[in-house]
Amino acid sequence: PGDRVAVEPNLSCDNCLACLKNRQNLCQSGAAVGVTRPGGMAQFTTAPEKVTFAIGGLSFEQAAFMEPLSCVLHGLERLGPELADKICILGAGPIGILLMQGVRAQGASHITVMDKNPARLEFAAEMGADVTLADLSELQQDSYDAVIDATGSLAVMRQSLDFARPGGKVLWFGVPPSGEEISLEPFKVFRKGLTVLSSFTSVRNSYQALDLLRSGRICVDGLVSHRLPLDAFQRGIEVIEQGSERVRKVQVLPNG
């Protein structure tokens, strides 16, 4: 009682084939607090004890990044970047910035970030990107050990294969629209010997996320651009959808 906690919203049954193979993110009867069950954007909620994590001295604002950071860490575990890799990240939103810090912590020697939003590119440079570019046409083809899509844009995902070096890796991390398709040239994947990966939510990465936030190795200062009370929730949605007011992350403070 009285613990300050962050919630890992994804709930697994721990008994299906996926869970028994330690793939809880692919649970056959998975649920999520605030998605398939009540709890999102409310003043009060409940969550099972097994998905609550004590945050210690972290602020609630910092600890709110536990869940997105845990997803980022799972994605990087899937990707498996190597020391001194040259990395390209497509998209400089909050997730792109977390991915950038993650690959830097894993030993990337050079990170290029592409985004069409000048304000986001400016922030990416402040946070440590080596090169920032505003258009895909500015990226050099066949150049990067790993390319990470953090946009979910179908057009960007399709072109991501062009920028990976022969023998390189591509991680599709951004969430594309359901039911949509893209055309790919399979020979390109074959000829370049590419590894194309996806990443869905996280698998027991919450402790890692909190440890990295506590250590300061992952910095979320500056990622929150708007702090709004619960009754301004609709405005927060509109700001995100319009991409206005130099929006980064909108944080709703249900008791503020």
Side-chain angles (χ1 to χ4, degrees), residues 34-212:
V35 182
T36 62
R37 57 179 282 173
M41 303 306 171
Q43 187 175 11
F44 300 103
T45 189
T46 61
E49 182 180 2
K50 71 176 183 178
V51 297
T52 60
F53 296 82
I55 64 175
L58 286 173
S59 68
F60 281 123
E61 180 171 306
Q62 293 171 312
F65 282 90
M66 180 192 78
E67 190 276 338
L69 180 55
S70 70
C71 294
V72 163
L73 297 178
H74 175 57
L76 295 181
E77 287 178 346
R78 295 270 293 154
L79 180 65
E82 299 179 2
L83 285 173
D85 268 357
K86 184 179 179 182
I87 307 288
C88 176
I89 298 175
L90 307 175
I95 292 296
I97 298 299
L98 292 177
L99 285 162
M100 182 184 73
Q101 294 184 74
V103 295
R104 181 71 80 194
Q106 290 182 306
S109 63
H110 188 278
I111 303 172
T112 296
V113 177
M114 192 289 302
D115 197 291
K116 63 182 181 181
N117 186 318
R120 287 188 166 186
L121 286 182
E122 180 183 340
F123 185 62
E126 292 174 6
M127 294 298 290
D130 296 295
V131 173
T132 59
L133 300 174
D135 194 275
L136 288 172
S137 64
E138 300 179 66
L139 289 168
Q140 188 174 354
Q141 296 195 5
D142 303 330
S143 296
Y144 300 94
D145 297 296
V147 177
I148 305 174
D149 171 69
T151 69
S153 163
L154 298 178
V156 175
M157 293 172 71
R158 180 177 61 80
Q159 293 184 71
S160 63
L161 304 177
D162 296 334
F163 309 119
R165 65 163 174 79
K169 298 179 181 180
V170 176
L171 173 64
W172 285 342
F173 190 90
V175 182
S178 176
E180 298 293 326
E181 298 181 356
I182 58 176
S183 60
L184 297 173
E185 183 185 352
F187 183 79
K188 185 182 298 182
V189 178
F190 162 75
R191 179 64 183 85
K192 292 173 69 172
L194 298 179
T195 299
V196 182
L197 300 157
S198 65
S199 181
F200 181 65
T201 68
S202 63
V203 183
R204 304 192 184 284
N205 299 104
S206 295
Y207 285 117
Q208 295 169 299
L210 288 177
D211 284 345
L212 285 168

Side-chain angles (χ1 to χ4, degrees), residues 1-18:
D3 276 356
R4 302 164 64 251
V5 301
V7 174
E8 161 58 60
N10 300 306
L11 308 176
S12 58
C13 72
D14 298 326
N15 198 46
C16 67
L17 182 61

Side-chain angles (χ1 to χ4, degrees), residues 229-250:
L230 187 58
D231 59 10
F233 175 78
Q234 182 61 37
R235 175 173 173 257
I237 295 295
E238 292 169 354
V239 168
I240 292 173
E241 290 181 340
Q242 296 165 7
S244 58
E245 303 179 35
R246 298 175 70 90
V247 62
R248 293 172 189 161
K249 200 76 167 174
V250 175

Side-chain angles (χ1 to χ4, degrees), residues 61 65 220-227 248-251:
E61 180 171 306
F65 282 90
V220 294
D221 296 343
L223 282 179
V224 177
S225 59
H226 294 67
R227 297 164 182 82
R248 293 172 189 161
K249 200 76 167 174
V250 175
Q251 196 160 89

